[in-house]
Amino acid sequence: MSGGNAVLGVGILVTALAVSACAGASAPPGPSASAPTSMTSSASPSESGQPATESNPPGDIPDNQAFVAFTPPGAAFSVKIPEGWASSTAGATTTFTDKLNQVQVSTAATATAPTAASVTATDIPAWRGQVPRFALGQVSTVTRQAGPAVLVTYQGDSPPNPVTGKVVRDAFEHYVFFHAGTRVDLTLSGPENADNVDPWRTVTDSLRWQ
């Protein structure tokens, strides 16, 4: 090869190598050698197909709830009931309801004052048969404005909702008052997790003998 052709050949080779180097520098990187990304899901139970745990619906009575006096026909006492609640009467029992809460007022003539022992022996077995999944809490004697009362706390299931079929776990406060041959039962109930301490105290402290 002549000297001119040799120089030309070297130039072409250098140019080809430079073009190849540039092309290699701009090429996209190859697949990473790192471990594949984990496919573990952090979805919540409901997102992963498992049913979410249901809790009792809220049943708190509003702080601004008004109360009105109620006297059963022919009775010698009055008690304050939340205003605007629906009412129904069956015999000597009047029931007031609003959404998930309920107040029952019952009267009966009796010769002797009920005690914690007599309520435990006689009444609680009857309530076990009336309240689904009855679970006894405590039996005690408390003092209210009208005098001493036997207080029984317990839990039970509400009747199924006629539309949804859902059942609410209710907490009950059952007060038994007595005066001059008259027994008055106040049964207050609402969802187990509701905070109705103040309204229930208003009702039970409002009882007045006439």
Side-chain angles (χ1 to χ4, degrees):
M1 178 182 294
S2 65
N5 289 339
V7 171
L8 179 60
V10 171
I12 292 173
L13 178 61
V14 170
T15 301
L17 290 174
V19 171
S20 174
C22 291
S26 61
S32 171
S34 61
T37 303
S38 172
M39 297 302 291
T40 301
S41 173
S42 60
S44 64
S46 60
E47 292 173 338
S48 62
Q50 301 177 8
T53 301
E54 293 186 7
S55 60
N56 282 330
D60 291 358
I61 298 172
D63 293 338
N64 62 351
Q65 174 66 55
F67 293 81
V68 295
F70 166 71
T71 299
F77 71 92
S78 67
V79 62
K80 288 185 177 179
I81 300 299
E83 185 177 26
W85 286 23
S87 65
S88 60
T89 300
T93 299
T94 302
T95 303
F96 299 86
T97 57
D98 180 70
K99 300 180 178 69
L100 302 172
N101 297 300
Q102 180 173 278
V103 175
Q104 277 192 341
V105 183
S106 301
T107 61
T110 181
T112 58
T115 64
S118 68
V119 169
T120 299
T122 304
D123 296 280
I124 290 178
W127 300 339
R128 287 186 185 276
Q130 298 166 359
V131 180
R133 294 185 63 212
F134 178 95
L136 181 63
Q138 294 183 331
V139 182
S140 60
T141 300
V142 298
T143 300
R144 292 294 186 263
Q145 294 296 326
V150 177
L151 168 60
V152 182
T153 61
Y154 54 93
Q155 293 79 43
D157 285 354
S158 71
N161 183 289
V163 177
T164 65
K166 290 184 178 180
V167 172
V168 175
R169 189 65 174 168
D170 283 334
F172 292 78
E173 293 183 12
H174 192 126
Y175 294 79
V176 183
F177 293 87
F178 175 82
H179 177 74
T182 298
R183 168 175 165 158
V184 175
D185 287 57
L186 298 181
T187 310
L188 319 172
S189 62
E192 192 173 30
N193 295 324
D195 181 10
N196 288 330
V197 173
D198 291 340
W200 289 165
R201 184 62 185 246
T202 297
V203 172
T204 58
D205 253 346
S206 72
L207 182 66
R208 295 291 185 272
W209 303 109
Q210 298 173 354

